[in-house]
Amino acid sequence: MNFLITGGAGFIGAALANQLVRAGHSVRALDDLSAGDNASLDARVLFTRGDVRDVPKLWGLLRGVDCVYHLAARVSVPESVLYPVEYNAVNVGGTVALMTAMRDAGVRRVILASSGAAYGEQTAQPVCENAVMHPTTPYAVSKLAAEYYVHAIGALSNIESVALRIFNAYGPQQQLPPSHAPVIPRFLQAALSGGSLVIFGDGKQSRDFVYLDDVVTALERAATAQNINRAIINIGSGADVTMDQLVDTIDALLQTQTHRLYNQEASAGVSRLVADISLAQKLLDWTPQISLRQGLAQILERDVRFQLAAS
Ligand SMILES: NC(=O)c1ccc[n+]([C@@H]2O[C@H](COP(=O)([O-])OP(=O)(O)OC[C@H]3O[C@@H](n4cnc5c(N)ncnc54)[C@H](O)[C@@H]3O)[C@@H](O)[C@H]2O)c1
């Protein structure tokens, strides 16, 4: 098959692109490199630097494409609170631009990387796809709006659309920006360097961590699965882990005793978030294969940044 991946030089996009070319597919990747790095792409991936809102550029890239993965986005929840205009412009505007270009190019299917963050605070856990949504941050709102846009323009333009609500993905080569870094690489770095680790809130809030390779498999399955048009599907591990338990697991693996500082002033986000993954099992024949401990061990094995920090 012929694929276009927007955000194809990012953490999930590059892993997906490399897996698809290994499986014999033809892959184009579009990325503006605001966060991604095209050096991590297999040489067989055809890379173009550009903005996902550039419709004429998309027309060229979409020629002959069967299926689009839409991953290009600004991805930090706390950053979205500071820059909502930017998050709306890229995450919502980029989705509308892409859907417009796809309509013109006659592409068959789009798979959106949506987010479990869109649920917001939910009393019933694990959360099902039909929960009433309570997005509380600009990032969460932008992902929910993107879902509505892919499904609405998809239905109007005869494009099959699927949204995967990915929970907290983690794995090797995850971006580690100086501020607003995702928790797993941030905690690993602190544990390996022997410094203190800062936990926002009281450490009791929990998240559902899903390993990169499992996410890539779910995305791959979504390209060919039947009867998933207009579906919204949770992609998580199905198990939630508190921040304290996460540090315990890292410490057990590294045989460290990392000092924890609790920043009670900082927002810890929603108190609990765990995915009901029965729909993914049913529609994609997908279940996660990698436990948190195995996933963390694979990061230490495969990510040179942490090997250097450990040595
Ligand atoms: N990592 C997670 O835990 C997670 C969870 C849920 C959903 N998602 C979604 O999955 C997708 C990929 O996330 P990721 O973790 O790989 O993040 P990432 O930041 O590594 O990837 C996003 C990519 O999009 C690119 N990009 C940003 N703005 C762009 C623009 N205007 N035009 C073209 N490219 C642009 C960035 O350079 C980056 O390479 C995102 O849509 C994100 O919202 C990720």
Side-chain angles (χ1 to χ4, degrees):
M1 284 175 73
N2 292 324
F3 291 99
L4 171 68
I5 307 175
T6 74
F11 164 56
I12 299 174
L16 174 65
N18 292 346
Q19 170 55 27
L20 290 172
V21 292
R22 276 197 298 271
H25 299 291
S26 156
V27 179
R28 296 172 195 162
L30 171 70
D31 200 296
D32 70 353
L33 300 183
S34 54
D37 179 5
N38 59 327
S40 48
L41 287 171
D42 186 297
R44 290 167 290 183
V45 177
L46 201 65
F47 176 74
T48 301
R49 183 171 188 174
D51 195 300
V52 70
R53 292 164 290 180
D54 184 343
V55 173
K57 184 164 265 174
L58 287 170
W59 286 331
L61 290 170
L62 287 169
R63 217 165 284 140
V65 163
D66 305 299
C67 177
V68 173
Y69 287 104
H70 180 36
L71 275 64
R74 303 293 301 263
V75 302
S76 158
V77 171
E79 196 186 60
S80 79
V81 176
L82 298 172
Y83 307 109
V85 172
E86 170 78 9
Y87 271 68
N88 183 67
V90 175
N91 297 6
V92 184
T95 303
V96 177
L98 173 69
M99 291 306 293
T100 314
M102 282 185 63
R103 176 191 65 191
D104 300 341
V107 179
R108 185 177 56 80
R109 184 176 289 196
V110 60
I111 299 159
L112 170 73
S114 183
S115 172
Y119 286 109
E121 194 70 64
Q122 298 280 337
T123 41
Q125 300 276 349
V127 283
C128 287
E129 290 83 352
N130 59 6
V132 177
M133 306 302 280
H134 298 292
T136 49
T137 63
Y139 173 74
V141 172
S142 75
K143 285 282 146 181
L144 194 54
E147 287 184 4
Y148 280 117
Y149 269 118
V150 294
H151 288 337
I153 301 178
L156 292 168
S157 315
N158 208 18
I159 301 165
E160 294 173 3
S161 57
V162 184
L164 301 188
R165 282 189 188 144
I166 302 166
F167 282 60
N168 286 64
Y170 71 102
Q173 267 69 57
Q174 187 163 20
Q175 268 86 14
L176 191 45
S179 60
H180 312 308
V183 280
I184 288 193
R186 186 161 65 79
F187 285 6
L188 278 173
Q189 195 182 48
L192 284 165
S193 67
S196 295
L197 170 156
V198 180
I199 296 178
F200 299 150
D202 63 1
K204 307 281 181 283
Q205 72 278 21
S206 67
R207 293 293 180 272
D208 178 324
F209 295 102
V210 57
Y211 190 64
L212 179 63
D213 293 8
D214 284 326
V215 174
V216 167
T217 304
L219 288 162
E220 261 188 297
R221 301 249 168 107
T224 50
Q226 300 296 309
N227 305 319
I228 57 169
N229 195 17
R230 315 284 170 249
I232 294 171
I233 307 172
N234 285 344
I235 300 298
S237 68
D240 61 336
V241 175
T242 67
M243 295 304 122
D244 276 333
Q245 287 168 339
L246 175 60
V247 183
D248 291 343
T249 311
I250 289 172
D251 273 342
L253 195 68
L254 295 173
Q255 296 179 316
T256 47
Q257 277 193 314
T258 309
H259 181 246
R260 303 168 198 195
L261 289 170
Y262 294 90
N263 183 349
Q264 306 276 1
E265 308 290 296
S267 165
V270 298
S271 52
R272 188 175 177 212
L273 192 60
V274 58
D276 181 316
I277 51 173
S278 45
L279 193 64
Q281 281 165 345
K282 187 171 148 209
L283 295 181
L284 303 177
D285 188 23
W286 177 88
T287 44
Q289 303 295 311
I290 313 276
S291 71
L292 180 62
R293 198 185 160 96
Q294 287 169 330
L296 292 169
Q298 287 202 23
I299 295 179
L300 297 173
E301 234 177 82
R302 288 164 52 184
D303 193 322
V304 71
R305 293 171 304 176
F306 299 116
Q307 289 157 7
L308 289 175
S311 61

